[in-house]
Amino acid sequence: MTVDGPVVGVVGTGIAGLQSANAVLERNPDARIVIFGDETHRTYNRPGLTKKRYQLLTSGTTITDELKVDGAASDSATWRLGTRVESADLYNKVLQLRTGETFDYDSLVIATGVRPRISAEDARECAIHMHKTLRDLDDAHHIHRDLRTGTELTIVGSGFVACELASLATEYGCAVAMLEARRRGPFERVLGERIATALGRWMTRNGVTFLTGDSARDRLCNGDSSAHSEPSSDRSLLVEAIGSVPNVEWLHGNGLDLSDGVRVDEHMRVPECADVYAAGDVARYPDPWTAESLTRREFWKNAIDTGDLAGRSLASSLGCGSKISHIRYFPLMSTEVFGLRIQIAGNPKAATSMEVVRGDLDRLDHGVVVTFSKEDLLVGVAYLDKGARLNSIYIDLVKTLKAHRR
Amino acid sequence: MKIVVDQVKCQNHGLCAISAPANFALDTDGKLQYHESFNEENIDDIEDAVDSCPLQAITLSRDAA
């Protein structure tokens, strides 16, 4: 077989993988790109899994259709769906596939993302609950289908996935309990205790049984009941949404820094290996925001930006495209929980102080703007509102934030 | 080229209004308002808005406006 252009392997079919493939092809149309993924679906809009209720799920296909992503339908790359990459020999540039095949590449993009963390590997089934996690489209199919039947839902955790799911389930008419054993309320790690507590009250006001601390721990399911009785068919749904774990196991043995995802430089290059790049949720890169620290982010826009940069850097290493640029991702995220829109810009986690500059945390639905500072420098802004009454204040603060960034 | 927003997908998250304030804004009810046509000098901002949308509701159409 004659090989016209360089062979580029992309491991991961998420938006970071797709974006990197497209960025390479745009600059080097001769590149032969092969995209590997565990899932049987091409790239879809992952945030959309929890952000809205899907009306017609009888065939199980509508949700897939609704979540199509531009560019994913193109056949300029070869898609190896449902094909897990078991391991990689990054020095000899060979991937080992679960099918037993090997794949030789010239350049590689690691975009394997993350998987949901679970409290215990063996607590997957019990007599009382259907235990699930929500990460991919197949999970979403199951969960949306169950929610449509008005099942009781228990959610463990109170992060983005947990809160959006609670809101969605209520729309479907389900009774929802949320268990947050370690924190006071939603998004505490990002926004701090005061806002988290206020958000916990917001969940309660909207009919969620929101339990924290010991009362949450008492209701956590450890799966023990499976030892005593057969699972019944009408078990209620329990979804664990307690964070995620980077998918890096397949890279072991190559001497990489895999302490929290794959460490890369500001061009998304894996420093230990020439011609290897990483992007998306799995990539830990120098934070353009906080000097001399590394960051790993699990947001859609981050996956797009780092995927694009990895692809451009890769193309540049092949002699295509112009100068390579540095990561410039500006953190900006948005979610909606029971009609309350929560927008966060910058890096509130880095703050040493917060100030409510407009509104009242006891009346979130009347609009609240909060600033986060570190040594008098604005590092983050949060805006919570039903509607957009304070949107102009928020946008002005975001502009200030962007300007502070070098 | 013109901006097309899929109003069924749009959930008024407003990230586009931050990326490209010249073309997108939220009104006082929190609903998205936008201009279909745009100035070529804003193309970078608009592409950023297209990427930012968590619902992927914004596209650029090459059909003449």
Side-chain angles (χ1 to χ4, degrees):
Chain A
M1 190 166 66
T2 47
V3 176
D4 305 306
V7 177
V8 177
V10 176
V11 187
T13 51
I15 187 70
L18 175 67
Q19 197 75 12
S20 62
N22 286 341
V24 172
L25 283 171
E26 203 175 292
R27 288 158 185 82
N28 186 347
D30 294 333
R32 291 159 21 97
I33 298 196
V34 183
I35 306 176
F36 298 91
D38 290 2
E39 290 185 59
T40 53
H41 314 281
R42 287 194 183 190
T43 314
Y44 51 85
N45 175 14
R46 200 180 295 277
L49 296 181
T50 48
K51 286 200 196 293
K52 68 179 277 202
R53 176 178 164 197
Y54 296 93
Q55 301 290 348
L56 303 161
L57 289 171
T58 41
S59 65
T61 56
T62 308
I63 180 166
T64 314
D65 292 338
E66 290 216 31
L67 295 172
K68 276 183 179 153
V69 168
D70 284 347
S74 157
D75 278 316
S76 39
T78 304
W79 294 75
R80 293 289 308 269
L81 300 175
T83 307
R84 176 182 284 263
V85 175
E86 287 285 345
S87 62
D89 176 348
L90 301 182
Y91 294 91
N92 294 307
K93 299 189 170 186
V94 184
L95 302 181
Q96 182 71 49
L97 312 183
R98 175 162 285 182
T99 57
E101 301 160 83
T102 56
F103 174 78
D104 296 322
Y105 61 83
D106 297 308
S107 301
L108 182 72
V109 179
I110 297 165
T112 37
V114 297
R115 62 181 180 273
R117 198 156 71 82
I118 48 176
S119 50
E121 282 294 339
D122 52 358
R124 304 303 298 139
E125 287 304 324
C126 78
I128 305 156
H129 305 112
M130 292 283 295
H131 287 236
K132 297 276 185 206
T133 54
L134 175 49
R135 174 65 191 172
D136 65 26
L137 188 50
D138 292 340
D139 298 336
H141 276 143
H142 284 289
I143 288 174
H144 281 255
R145 196 170 57 213
D146 275 14
L147 296 183
R148 283 184 78 231
T149 67
T151 184
E152 270 180 43
L153 172 66
T154 304
I155 301 169
V156 183
S158 65
F160 284 90
V161 172
C163 289
E164 289 181 7
L165 181 61
S167 185
L168 182 74
T170 308
E171 268 188 63
Y172 275 114
C174 304
V176 180
M178 285 180 86
L179 310 178
E180 175 50 82
R182 298 170 60 201
R183 310 271 184 182
R184 302 291 184 89
F187 313 150
E188 182 173 321
R189 209 167 58 87
V190 185
L191 297 178
E193 190 181 317
R194 284 178 63 198
I195 297 179
T197 308
L199 284 170
R201 286 197 299 270
W202 178 253
M203 305 305 280
T204 305
R205 257 181 69 184
N206 283 280
V208 173
T209 305
F210 188 81
L211 302 175
T212 57
D214 287 341
S215 32
R217 260 184 293 275
D218 290 346
R219 301 243 324 235
L220 288 175
C221 180
N222 59 15
D224 274 355
S225 57
S226 58
H228 307 294
S229 54
E230 285 297 305
S232 70
S233 57
D234 58 350
R235 291 172 295 168
S236 70
L237 185 60
L238 182 142
V239 177
E240 277 196 290
I242 53 170
S244 52
V245 183
N247 293 318
V248 296
E249 289 76 6
W250 63 286
L251 293 163
H252 283 159
N254 288 288
L256 305 191
D257 176 354
L258 302 174
S259 48
D260 176 27
V262 179
R263 188 172 66 84
V264 292
D265 67 10
E266 69 274 26
H267 309 292
M268 299 291 133
R269 295 182 296 214
V270 173
E272 297 87 348
C273 287
D275 307 315
V276 181
Y277 303 78
D281 293 9
V282 80
R284 189 163 59 110
Y285 57 84
D287 191 349
W289 189 267
T290 318
E292 75 274 334
S293 69
L294 295 166
T295 188
R296 195 174 64 72
R297 292 178 176 270
E298 299 180 6
F299 293 103
W300 180 253
K301 181 68 164 29
N302 175 66
I304 290 177
D305 287 359
T306 57
D308 186 57
L309 181 56
R312 281 187 283 133
S313 297
L314 194 160
S316 171
S317 77
L318 297 170
C320 304
S322 50
K323 58 181 184 354
I324 61 174
S325 53
H326 295 214
I327 180 70
R328 293 177 58 230
Y329 172 57
F330 180 78
L332 205 57
M333 61 214 76
S334 171
T335 183
E336 192 167 318
V337 181
F338 295 104
L340 184 76
R341 192 168 310 138
I342 305 166
Q343 291 179 265
I344 305 167
N347 190 8
K349 260 194 288 186
T352 50
S353 65
M354 65 164 273
E355 186 188 354
V356 177
V357 295
R358 191 64 75 91
D360 174 354
L361 288 180
D362 288 325
R363 290 150 58 100
L364 294 178
D365 50 337
H366 288 65
V368 176
V369 179
V370 184
T371 56
F372 296 84
S373 305
K374 184 184 182 185
E375 289 144 16
D376 294 332
L377 186 71
L378 187 68
V379 294
V381 194
Y383 173 36
L384 302 88
D385 200 357
K386 267 189 124 165
R389 284 157 297 196
L390 306 177
N391 200 51
S392 57
I393 300 174
Y394 175 67
I395 288 179
D396 281 348
L397 284 165
V398 173
K399 281 184 189 157
T400 312
L401 257 182
K402 278 187 163 178
H404 282 174
R405 209 172 129 268
R406 57 190 151 112
Chain B
M1 290 235 282
K2 64 174 185 174
I3 296 169
V4 180
V5 177
D6 182 334
Q7 299 286 4
V8 177
K9 283 187 179 174
C10 175
Q11 306 262 299
N12 303 299
H13 279 265
L15 297 192
C16 53
I18 291 167
S19 297
N23 291 80
F24 300 89
L26 296 182
D27 67 18
T28 49
D29 294 328
K31 294 264 183 279
L32 179 69
Q33 307 294 329
Y34 68 102
H35 306 295
E36 280 192 343
S37 55
F38 59 89
N39 196 322
E40 200 55 37
E41 72 188 25
N42 291 328
I43 187 71
D44 286 350
D45 284 355
I46 289 161
E47 284 179 349
D48 196 42
V50 171
D51 287 347
S52 297
C53 177
L55 281 305
Q56 295 294 283
I58 310 169
T59 45
L60 291 180
S61 158
R62 285 181 193 282
D63 302 336

